[in-house]
Amino acid sequence: MKFLLIGKNGQVGWELSHSLSKLGNVFALGRSELDLSMPETLGAIIQDIRPDIIINAAAYTAVDKAESEPDLAMTVNGISPGVIAREAKKIGAGMIHYSTDYVFDGKATSPYKEESPTYPLNIYGKSKLAGEQAVIQVGIPHIIIRTSWVYSLRGSNFLLTIKKLAQTRKQIKVVDDQTGAPTWAGSIAEGTKRILEKSLTKSTKAEKLFIGSGVFHMSCSGKTNWFGFANKILEFSGLSKNTELIPIPTTAYTTPAVRPKYSRLSNKKLKQVFNQEMPKWQDALHQCLDLPSN
Ligand SMILES: NC(=O)c1ccc[n+]([C@@H]2O[C@H](COP(=O)([O-])OP(=O)(O)OC[C@H]3O[C@@H](n4cnc5c(N)ncnc54)[C@H](OP(=O)(O)O)[C@@H]3O)[C@@H](O)[C@H]2O)c1
């Protein structure tokens, strides 16, 4: 099995580059080898490698910056995934693509299902939704994995920001009225690997590669808000004594992009189709920080 992994240096891409190697040959490319802001260049690269499955973990993920760079965000997140899918179709390949809880408007009070109506509040969410639709429209075997609040020990994310601030600040103000589920990139890579293990058959025909094409939600289980997440980060990192966390409402922390108030994702379909449970967000955080098990 030949995999083309796009976005090898991102949080999810980096974890995938390790977990996928157990399943086959992985051709892992970063931005310097494959640039999603240049959709016209993608065909030649994909046709040269001729993978069985393309996994796109690259994305324009700067949620606030996207408000001032809507065209770039739309090209990278909305247009290029469709180009990749069309190239996959030419060679009979399947595709795994990642999307976000930010396709929802946050007005729900119970976890969003895959078929819940989408209504993104910001440019990033709109561009990611366009990417989902572009992939689906091509009609290849595909799995689109929506996840939320991704963190890891690399890149820029909430975990590393809080740990860094705790080194220098006595107090950190954190929003406490947005509800969701922090998800470790390692849990997403493991979940993706398990989907592939369940789906792959000995056949090299792409249509046999996936049990059921479609959108799947994959977030760590449980729920919290950013304040609650920050609290656990400090507790697990042994930094609670140094720094006081102060809860604030979203209205006191204005950002260019509006974020959904509630973006929990239901993992029920993942369980039904792939018999897969996601770890509790606290356990995944523990594992990410490489702490000894309880
Ligand atoms: N981060 C989150 O909180 C979050 C939440 C929900 C869903 N997701 C989704 O989960 C997936 C993985 O996200 P992540 O957190 O792993 O993202 P990430 O850490 O920000 O990594 C994104 C990767 O995409 C690459 N990239 C950006 N623009 C590119 C371009 N024009 N051409 C090629 N590569 C480009 C980046 O390259 P460089 O290394 O060169 O910058 C980076 O390696 C994405 O689909 C994202 O939308 C993320």
Side-chain angles (χ1 to χ4, degrees):
M1 190 61 54
K2 203 195 263 189
F3 298 103
L4 167 57
L5 170 63
I6 299 172
K8 69 171 181 182
N9 297 316
Q11 302 185 80
V12 173
W14 190 83
E15 297 286 347
L16 281 169
S17 66
H18 293 86
S19 41
L20 291 181
S21 61
K22 292 158 199 145
L23 300 180
N25 284 340
V26 184
F27 289 74
L29 305 183
R31 191 200 297 238
S32 58
E33 296 123 332
L34 184 154
D35 190 338
L36 296 180
S37 70
M38 298 192 288
E40 68 286 356
T41 62
L42 305 179
I45 302 166
I46 292 168
Q47 297 312 323
D48 191 37
I49 298 173
R50 296 186 74 79
D52 298 301
I53 298 183
I54 302 172
I55 298 160
N56 179 29
Y60 182 112
T61 55
V63 176
D64 288 315
K65 208 171 162 203
E67 297 297 309
S68 53
E69 293 185 334
D71 293 344
L72 179 58
M74 188 53 84
T75 303
V76 172
N77 292 345
I79 294 171
S80 283
V83 174
I84 295 169
R86 286 198 292 281
E87 294 301 326
K89 191 170 196 171
K90 289 182 194 164
I91 49 174
M95 181 169 174
I96 295 189
H97 179 69
Y98 296 90
S99 190
T100 173
D101 53 336
Y102 284 10
V103 296
F104 296 115
D105 66 5
K107 291 193 178 140
T109 48
S110 59
Y112 283 102
K113 295 181 181 152
E114 287 77 357
E115 64 275 17
S116 299
T118 50
Y119 193 89
L121 300 177
N122 54 44
I123 298 285
Y124 167 74
K126 285 180 187 152
S127 69
K128 292 297 294 180
L129 181 60
E132 290 185 7
Q133 290 163 347
V135 171
I136 292 167
Q137 217 174 23
V138 177
I140 52 166
H142 67 272
I143 303 273
I144 293 171
I145 296 173
R146 287 193 192 130
T147 188
S148 63
W149 297 21
V150 180
Y151 66 89
S152 71
L153 292 182
R154 52 185 287 126
S156 63
N157 59 61
F158 187 80
L159 165 70
L160 296 181
T161 302
I162 291 294
K163 282 188 75 169
K164 196 168 162 200
L165 289 176
Q167 312 291 338
T168 53
R169 298 218 193 145
K170 288 259 170 285
Q171 291 187 330
I172 311 173
K173 292 178 182 167
V174 188
V175 167
D176 75 344
D177 57 359
Q178 291 171 26
T179 301
T183 303
W184 176 37
S187 306
I188 301 168
E190 182 58 28
T192 305
K193 186 180 124 220
R194 279 193 267 148
I195 285 182
L196 283 164
E197 280 168 344
K198 281 239 166 213
S199 305
L200 295 178
T201 66
K202 288 199 180 355
S203 167
T204 53
K205 290 226 187 296
E207 66 266 21
K208 296 207 180 137
L209 295 178
F210 298 112
I211 299 174
S213 285
V215 177
F216 288 82
H217 288 176
M218 185 190 280
S219 281
C220 280
S221 63
K223 66 170 177 174
T224 186
N225 54 55
W226 294 109
F227 174 78
F229 185 26
N231 239 319
K232 269 289 170 235
I233 292 168
L234 294 190
E235 182 193 323
F236 283 176
S237 307
L239 295 166
S240 300
K241 279 178 261 119
N242 311 3
T243 307
E244 182 194 4
L245 289 177
I246 301 174
I248 55 165
T250 302
T251 47
Y253 183 73
T254 46
T255 52
V258 178
R259 284 158 169 80
K261 281 230 162 211
Y262 180 98
S263 63
R264 284 184 75 200
L265 302 175
S266 164
N267 290 331
K268 274 190 189 151
K269 186 178 170 192
L270 190 70
K271 170 76 179 154
Q272 277 160 5
V273 178
F274 293 109
N275 194 24
Q276 200 179 130
E277 307 263 11
M278 290 297 286
K280 287 189 192 133
W281 71 264
Q282 298 94 326
D283 292 345
L285 176 61
H286 207 265
Q287 213 186 336
C288 169
L289 293 169
D290 204 16
L291 299 170
S293 31
N294 294 316

